Amino acid sequence: MSVALLGAIALRLAGHDPLRTAKNVVREMLPRRGQRPRAKAESGAAKTGEASTKPAPIVLGPGGVEIPADAQVLLAKARKLEEKGELREAYFLCKDALAQVEPNVDLHLAMARAALGVREREEARDQLKMAIELDPLCFEAVLVLARMSFAEFEYNEALSKARMALALDAKHVEARVLACRCLRELGQVEQAEEEARKAYRTAPGDTSVELALAAILTDRRCWQEAEELIRAVLGRE
């Protein structure tokens, strides 16, 4: 296989929309196990003549913020709809939920995922921003905004969000690759290579990392190293 053809493969694959390949992050929001059934607790209270004071199970969202019980129910329903691929139903459920309960980070994230599923990108962006307003350390919201901005060719914004994500998790491979790709698109090839090599040291066998680095090496005409990376990727296909 010629070097030119290998370089073309790297450039083509590295240009994939990350929204189509990144895995969605779905948090488990199930109540704690071991809670006594309500009917049993009420029965015991009736025997003693005392009102039950057993607190509702506490579920924590991002940043350790408690999620109200009514929101927990709605989130559980939305999660089940997501798992079944019924994204439009999940979208309208989340929309109704936001009108009924006090907003929280997880509800905004669920609404954003559902909105992306039905191609309501502006709605998704707004929900992610609201999640960040409630919790500036919400990694999922920051990373998804970075993906969206990159897919919409907003490379400066995507780079800003990718760096925010890396500030929260310096070893996150996808965030590092996004930063690398943004820098490459902005013509900052040396910095892009530096980010790509950092990602490669963290995950040397990761296909997205190897393709990103190969694309940059092709730009810099480092043909031999680029060829080795591409052959490694093709050998695993």
Side-chain angles (χ1 to χ4, degrees):
M1 185 178 294
S2 68
V3 171
L5 180 57
L6 290 170
I9 292 173
L11 292 172
R12 182 179 180 85
L13 293 177
H16 277 182
D17 183 348
L19 282 173
R20 292 190 296 178
T21 59
K23 294 180 180 177
N24 289 328
V25 180
V26 180
R27 290 184 173 85
E28 292 296 331
M29 303 307 302
L30 296 174
R32 292 179 180 178
R33 297 179 180 178
Q35 297 293 337
R36 293 172 58 190
R38 181 184 297 274
K40 187 174 181 180
E42 289 176 351
S43 175
K47 290 180 180 179
T48 59
E50 299 177 358
S52 174
T53 59
K54 188 174 183 63
I58 297 174
V59 176
L60 302 181
V65 179
E66 182 178 345
I67 301 175
D70 50 358
Q72 292 174 34
V73 174
L74 294 169
L75 280 167
K77 289 180 179 179
R79 186 183 67 251
K80 288 181 180 178
L81 289 170
E82 279 188 89
E83 291 173 350
K84 293 191 292 184
E86 299 176 5
L87 298 177
R88 181 164 293 278
E89 290 78 2
Y91 172 75
F92 286 112
L93 174 63
C94 290
K95 199 160 190 165
D96 291 342
L98 285 169
Q100 296 174 31
V101 303
E102 184 176 350
N104 63 79
V105 173
D106 274 80
L107 199 50
H108 285 306
L109 290 175
M111 178 66 175
R113 290 193 298 269
L116 283 173
V118 296
R119 302 183 184 279
E120 294 286 349
R121 297 178 68 83
E122 287 306 313
E123 177 73 33
R125 191 185 296 273
D126 290 342
Q127 294 298 324
L128 292 167
K129 288 179 179 178
M130 284 188 273
I132 293 173
E133 286 180 8
L134 290 174
D135 179 11
L137 302 181
C138 182
F139 181 85
E140 180 182 348
V142 173
L143 183 61
V144 175
L145 281 174
R147 293 177 194 154
M148 291 179 66
S149 296
F150 183 87
E152 295 166 1
F153 311 107
E154 299 172 357
Y155 299 123
N156 282 306
E157 180 64 19
L159 178 60
S160 174
K161 290 296 185 292
R163 284 177 168 165
M164 284 178 62
L166 287 169
L168 297 172
D169 183 356
K171 293 185 178 181
H172 197 275
V173 173
E174 184 187 350
R176 186 75 65 186
V177 170
L178 273 173
C180 162
R181 289 177 172 172
C182 290
L183 288 165
R184 177 172 176 259
E185 293 293 342
L186 293 169
Q188 301 177 39
V189 181
E190 290 185 5
Q191 292 183 42
E193 183 180 351
E194 182 180 345
E195 293 292 348
R197 291 195 183 279
K198 286 181 182 178
Y200 187 75
R201 287 194 292 270
T202 302
D206 187 285
T207 297
S208 65
V209 173
E210 291 175 330
L211 289 174
L213 181 54
I216 294 167
L217 292 170
T218 301
D219 290 344
R220 305 198 69 182
R221 302 193 178 191
C222 299
W223 308 116
Q224 184 175 350
E225 190 177 358
E227 180 180 351
E228 291 173 357
L229 288 167
I230 297 167
R231 287 189 183 281
V233 171
L234 295 176
R236 292 195 299 269
E237 294 296 327

